[in-house]
Amino acid sequence: MEPIIQDLGFIIGTTLMYSTPLIFTSLGGVITERSGVINIGLEGMMYFGAFAGAAVAYFSQDPWLGLLCAALGGAFWGLIHAIACVSFSAEQIVSGIAINFLGAGSALFISRLLFDGATQTLTVARKIPQPLDFLFGEGKMFASSGFTDLVFNRFATVYLAFFLVFVVWFVLYKTQLGMRVRAVGENPEAANTLGINVTRIRYGAVIMSGFFAGLGGAAMSIAVVSRFSNTLISGHGFIALAAMIFGKWKPQGALVACLLFGAAKGLEIFLGSKGVPVAGDILAMLPYVLTIIILIGFVGKTTAPAAIGKIFDKGDH
Amino acid sequence: MTGTKLKELFLKGPFGLTLISILLGFLVGAIVLLIAGFNPAEAYWAILRGIFAKPKYVSYVIIYSTPLIITGLSVAFALRTGLFNIGAEGQFIVGAMAAAIAGYFIQLPMLLHVPLCLFLAMSAGAVWGGLAGHIKARFGVHEVISTIMLNWIALYLSNWSLTLQSFGKQGTGKSHMIQETARIDLFGQWKITEAGIEFIRSHKVLGDILKSPVNLGIIFALLFAFLMWYILNKTTLGYELRAVGFNPDAAEYGGINVKKSIITSMSIAGSLAGAAGALQVMGVGHKIAKLAIMEGYGFDGIAVALIGNNTGPGSVFAGFLFGGLKYGGAKIQDAVGAPTEVINIVVGTIILFVAMPKLIQMLLKFRKG
């Protein structure tokens, strides 16, 4: 096979792998912000999810149970954020900052208890499987390590992430529930007048955002790598948040932005493997520069949900 | 001030709310420890001992607190103008990088070298913060997002600078040490002379303190806190910045240039965080190293600002609290076997309650019946 095609396959494959945790978390961001609640705590939720996923997968030897528990763990912190923001009119960014300390702190706290004082879990016996693996290899439909293998033979979480982009898009734009979520995010007073339960919608959306961020964390800890460590998440939640805004608060837009961030990572790893470290740092910087430039390009177009960050209090009117 | 007035301020004012949040934070931390099977009293006692038991410990707490106080001031200053400076982290990084570069390449006598390094670092921080302010004022891009981006750009920029032949020590991932003239250590040179070693051995208290990397950083931190209080409360600029934070529309109507205020505020905030990075390099590390992840000085500064109620004195208090918890908290692992990270849970809980004054007011009302 042409080496250049092989290289391209490697880059695309790594891009997909590194985009996946971001896609999950970013979708969580879309859901909560569309309901009008800022969630800067995605980082902490993702962090906790990464730990919970790896810990449960390690002890149960079942990566799927790990993935589920990661999502539930994230959803728990989503609930706390919802209680603070929806029921007690908390300053949403401040509450999110608190969640970041709490999510990371509690993950490391429990990790030290369960893993003999270490801030990382042990390696899980079984990672999230690669469902199409049976198609590739000696005498199979496709050769191993070829372009198709590198690109399409990915972890189940990768396919799940793409599928969920579609699901979130469908729910937000094609169902009554989605319409309600968007209405609450645009004009909660009007939504309330129309009989929509603003509190319930926002609780649901914020909890779901934690659920998705938890999935994102596990997609990192039990698919991309095979254990949780204290440096594993380090800012991915914030990148996902930025990707969501880059993608104009739309699931499909967030997907594109996450792929961009993933591609930068993929290229960085590729160039690193070819021994070009100088370009690596500059290249890694590019998506962030690009995000700022693109955001500047949004001038005059308000794309954020109108009621974002605003406290809704039924008693006010 | 009469007793009732004092009580009023304490119970209803922000000071009381913060204090109650802190108490609740420690309460939740205690509950978590209890559930995990540790004695909270023992654990908290270990933290207290870890902070106060030896002169050296107190000295370390001050050294730990210094950057946190200053990044706290940075975040607090921007918040007073209604801006959320998540970017203190990146401003810290470019400040540290600027100080390391100026400290290594430039040859000057100490009395000029130290101020020059600090000035350049603060300028770098001001550019980094001011850029976010400019993008917000001119293009309406929310500062939370632009500063998150600028944090990463700063991190990669700093790492890239270390790949340069002349600056980075090749293969180590670290920069060259800065010149002696750019350092703010106290007795750094003297400590390794024979007289110094003898002094440390024979003087119990002072010698013990000198075992820690004592430096002038804390003096700068207190100076910055005072300056911030002065600018915000005693100058026209401070009045304008606060007016914008209070109500930008009213400020605009009152003839204040809101856009300019945003840029000014973010620049000052950035210069503070840049100074924090510089002082860390000049007083403690003497070099910069490749950053695999964010170190968290800026993020911890957000906690400090929020707990300190966005004031100068408050940030000093909260900085010492956080610095003490960080340093003392690291010791509960050995003392009682409890995870150090209970500290993050305590701090996170404090912030969560700080975010919800409504809840605390409800609790107070409930208590009174």
Side-chain angles (χ1 to χ4, degrees), chain A residues 84 88-91 93-94 98 102 105 108-109 112-113 234-235 238 242 245 281-282 284-285 291-292 295-296 299, chain B residues 38 84 135 139 141 144-145 148-149 152-153 156-157 160 293 306 333 339 341 345 348-349 352 355-356 358-359:
Chain A
F88 292 102
S89 315
E91 189 81 58
I93 294 181
V94 180
L102 288 167
L108 295 175
F109 186 91
R112 284 200 199 259
L113 293 180
S234 65
F238 283 115
I245 291 172
D281 289 316
I282 299 296
M285 196 191 288
T291 303
I292 291 185
L295 287 174
I296 287 173
V299 190
Chain B
F38 301 103
F84 220 109
I135 296 172
F139 303 104
V141 176
V144 166
I145 296 307
I148 288 174
M149 296 300 110
W152 287 98
I153 297 171
Y156 288 116
L157 186 69
W160 175 75
I293 56 164
L306 294 172
Q333 196 88 38
E341 283 75 17
I345 296 174
T349 311
L352 192 64
M356 297 187 283
K358 198 175 161 187
L359 173 67

Side-chain angles (χ1 to χ4, degrees), chain A residues 60-209:
Chain A
S60 71
Q61 309 211 336
D62 183 347
W64 296 108
L65 190 64
L67 191 66
L68 178 69
C69 289
L72 293 177
F76 168 75
W77 291 113
L79 173 67
I80 301 287
H81 189 54
I83 292 173
C85 296
V86 183
S87 295
F88 292 102
S89 315
E91 189 81 58
Q92 292 171 3
I93 294 181
V94 180
S95 170
I97 296 280
I99 299 290
N100 287 338
F101 275 95
L102 288 167
S106 55
L108 295 175
F109 186 91
I110 304 170
S111 169
R112 284 200 199 259
L113 293 180
L114 297 181
F115 294 93
D116 208 19
T119 53
Q120 56 182 38
T121 66
L122 293 167
T123 306
V124 298
R126 285 174 55 214
K127 297 214 283 186
I128 294 285
Q130 290 161 272
L132 300 184
D133 200 36
F134 67 93
L135 293 173
F136 301 91
E138 203 73 34
K140 308 273 176 61
M141 197 183 293
F142 302 103
S144 65
S145 307
F147 179 80
T148 39
D149 186 10
L150 288 167
V151 174
F152 295 107
N153 187 10
R154 310 264 40 127
F155 300 111
T157 38
V158 176
Y159 308 108
L160 182 65
F162 277 84
F163 176 65
L164 284 177
V165 171
F166 171 76
V167 171
V168 171
W169 170 83
F170 185 83
V171 172
L172 268 182
Y173 294 100
K174 302 288 167 191
T175 67
Q176 195 189 37
L177 176 68
M179 197 200 69
R180 288 181 171 177
V181 171
R182 287 184 292 130
V184 166
E186 290 297 330
N187 191 340
E189 287 79 13
N192 184 47
T193 316
L194 291 170
I196 298 173
N197 188 334
V198 175
T199 305
R200 205 154 74 190
I201 292 277
R202 286 196 167 167
Y203 258 89
V206 178
I207 292 171
M208 275 317 281
S209 77

Side-chain angles (χ1 to χ4, degrees), chain B residues 32-342:
Chain B
V32 168
L33 285 167
L34 209 58
I35 294 172
F38 301 103
N39 182 339
E42 263 180 46
Y44 285 161
W45 180 242
I47 295 178
L48 272 178
R49 275 188 51 82
I51 296 173
F52 295 111
K54 282 186 184 176
K56 184 175 74 177
Y57 295 170
V58 178
S59 174
Y60 263 112
V61 168
I62 294 172
I63 293 163
Y64 267 56
S65 304
T66 302
L68 302 183
I69 291 173
I70 309 176
T71 51
L73 291 172
S74 165
V75 177
F77 195 93
L79 259 175
R80 292 295 282 275
T81 317
L83 299 161
F84 220 109
N85 183 21
I86 304 272
E89 189 78 31
Q91 295 143 16
F92 182 100
I93 293 172
V94 292
M97 183 178 69
I101 291 173
Y104 173 62
F105 285 110
I106 300 172
Q107 307 267 5
L108 274 176
M110 190 178 226
L111 274 176
L112 294 173
H113 205 176
V114 167
L116 180 73
C117 286
L118 194 59
F119 172 77
L120 289 174
M122 289 178 81
S123 307
V127 167
W128 225 245
L131 198 60
H134 181 77
I135 296 172
K136 165 137 187 162
R138 176 92 192 275
F139 303 104
V141 176
H142 200 288
E143 73 278 6
V144 166
I145 296 307
S146 60
T147 52
I148 288 174
M149 296 300 110
L150 285 166
N151 284 346
W152 287 98
I153 297 171
L155 181 133
Y156 288 116
L157 186 69
S158 174
N159 285 351
W160 175 75
S161 76
L162 291 171
T163 63
L164 299 176
Q165 288 288 342
S166 49
F167 181 54
K169 250 170 142 174
Q170 297 309 306
T172 64
K174 289 170 184 160
S175 71
H176 289 285
M177 295 288 233
I178 58 171
Q179 314 281 345
E180 294 288 344
T181 48
R183 299 183 188 183
I184 53 166
D185 306 40
L186 287 171
F187 316 110
Q189 285 296 302
W190 177 76
K191 266 199 275 186
I192 44 172
T193 63
E194 234 166 79
I197 293 167
E198 180 55 34
F199 182 88
I200 290 173
R201 200 178 298 141
S202 54
H203 286 68
K204 219 172 160 212
V205 174
L206 287 176
D208 198 43
I209 289 177
L210 282 173
K211 281 182 195 162
S212 63
V214 274
N215 65 74
L216 289 173
I218 189 67
I219 310 285
F220 284 100
L222 296 176
L223 193 70
F224 288 137
F226 173 76
L227 275 177
M228 167 167 154
W229 172 83
Y230 186 83
I231 291 176
L232 279 176
N233 296 297
K234 302 283 166 190
T235 67
T236 318
L237 172 72
Y239 172 79
E240 289 186 358
L241 294 180
R242 280 187 299 134
V244 172
F246 212 65
N247 186 340
D249 297 327
E252 184 93 68
Y253 186 74
I256 295 170
N257 187 337
V258 172
K259 289 186 171 178
K260 202 177 133 205
S261 297
I262 289 173
I263 299 172
T264 309
S265 176
M266 281 304 286
S267 302
I268 295 177
S271 70
L272 282 167
L279 294 172
Q280 196 68 5
V281 167
M282 292 155 73
V284 184
H286 303 141
K287 60 177 180 309
I288 57 168
K290 190 173 166 70
L291 300 163
I293 56 164
M294 303 272 176
E295 290 177 296
Y297 288 109
F299 291 112
D300 290 348
I302 299 172
V304 167
L306 294 172
I307 296 171
N309 202 29
N310 307 325
T311 64
S315 297
V316 173
F317 163 76
F320 278 128
L321 176 73
F322 201 167
L325 284 176
K326 257 185 128 169
Y327 182 71
K331 296 185 177 155
I332 63 171
Q333 196 88 38
D334 287 335
V336 291
T340 303
E341 283 75 17
V342 69

Side-chain angles (χ1 to χ4, degrees), chain B residues 334-365:
Chain B
D334 287 335
V336 291
T340 303
E341 283 75 17
V342 69
I343 295 311
N344 298 45
I345 296 174
V346 170
V347 170
T349 311
I350 297 173
I351 302 170
L352 192 64
F353 282 113
V354 165
M356 297 187 283
K358 198 175 161 187
L359 173 67
I360 292 181
Q361 272 153 1
M362 273 170 65
L363 288 174
L364 286 175
K365 253 186 225 157

